[in-house]
Amino acid sequence: MTFVEYVLIGYFVGVLTTAPVGPVNVMAIQHAVHGGFRQGVYVGMGAVVADTIFAAAAIFGVSAVTNFIEGQINLIEIVGGALLIVFGIKIWNTHPHLDKDGNGWNRGFLGDATAAFFMAITNPGAVIAFIAIFGGLGEFRPSPGDHFGALVMVSGVAGGATTWWVVVSAAVSRYRARIDDRWLDRANHIAGFVLVAFGALIYLKLLLGLTLLK
């Protein structure tokens, strides 16, 4: 695969893993509602740093593991697909709440970014999600030992995550009066559906592979 393809795949993963509305997304939306575009982006940048660390750990970890268990790729994909489906269902059933009272949403870049970073980096589900996704990519991820390709894909993840926060902050600051809990629910339903669909596609690929071997 080309480096452009690695960037695009990483970009998609970055958007996919950032889109589910959890505590950081709610925090960014609240800041964008009360403080405008920049306040939302400040929160997002802290989360981008955490997601980039998770992505690097996941993709280099998966590469290192596959050096030793190349014969277990199907097992990795089976587990990864199951985790994605479970996460998707959990996200679908999550109902975040948006606080619009406006108290304390303007701490500046350092305070907002730091708070978001620690909120994201202490979420154990995030790194599992990254491992599940990269494990399920199969031949679409860099080969073991292709460190440059892995770095390119990680940069794509950072780019996708950054794009998400910029778009969300811009949309929320523009349409802040229309943002409510129902809007957050719809966003989670979309993200949950995509995760479940991605997990199902992994199983479909495995099923087709097994069928062709018969």
Side-chain angles (χ1 to χ4, degrees), residues 18-72:
T18 308
V21 182
V24 179
N25 263 283
V26 171
M27 179 182 176
I29 291 170
Q30 287 171 333
H31 280 65
V33 166
H34 300 298
F37 171 75
R38 286 189 302 175
Q39 293 299 131
V41 173
Y42 290 167
V43 172
M45 290 303 98
V48 167
V49 174
D51 286 345
T52 302
I53 292 172
F54 283 144
I59 194 167
F60 282 105
V62 167
S63 296
V65 169
T66 53
N67 276 321
F68 299 99
I69 55 171
E70 292 181 355
Q72 304 299 322

Side-chain angles (χ1 to χ4, degrees), residues 52-182:
T52 302
I53 292 172
F54 283 144
I59 194 167
F60 282 105
V62 167
S63 296
V65 169
T66 53
N67 276 321
F68 299 99
I69 55 171
E70 292 181 355
Q72 304 299 322
I73 296 301
N74 286 347
L75 178 60
I76 293 174
E77 293 183 350
I78 289 172
V79 174
L83 288 173
L84 289 177
I85 291 172
V86 170
F87 280 131
I89 294 172
K90 180 179 179 180
I91 288 167
W92 179 285
N93 291 320
T94 299
H95 304 286
H97 174 65
L98 179 63
D99 178 12
K100 286 194 172 184
D101 63 12
N103 292 326
W105 303 121
N106 190 8
R107 290 190 295 264
F109 173 76
L110 186 60
D112 289 339
T114 300
F117 171 79
F118 282 108
M119 188 180 294
I121 205 71
T122 54
N123 178 11
V127 69
I128 296 174
F130 275 110
I131 292 174
I133 291 173
F134 285 124
L137 288 177
E139 66 270 19
F140 295 105
R141 66 171 179 265
S143 303
D146 184 5
H147 300 308
F148 185 68
L151 284 173
V152 170
M153 186 170 283
V154 170
S155 70
V157 172
T162 300
T163 300
W164 172 262
W165 294 117
V166 170
V167 171
V168 166
S169 298
V172 170
S173 62
R174 181 176 177 84
Y175 301 106
R176 64 183 70 185
R178 303 180 185 179
I179 304 300
D180 56 18
D181 289 358
R182 288 180 298 176

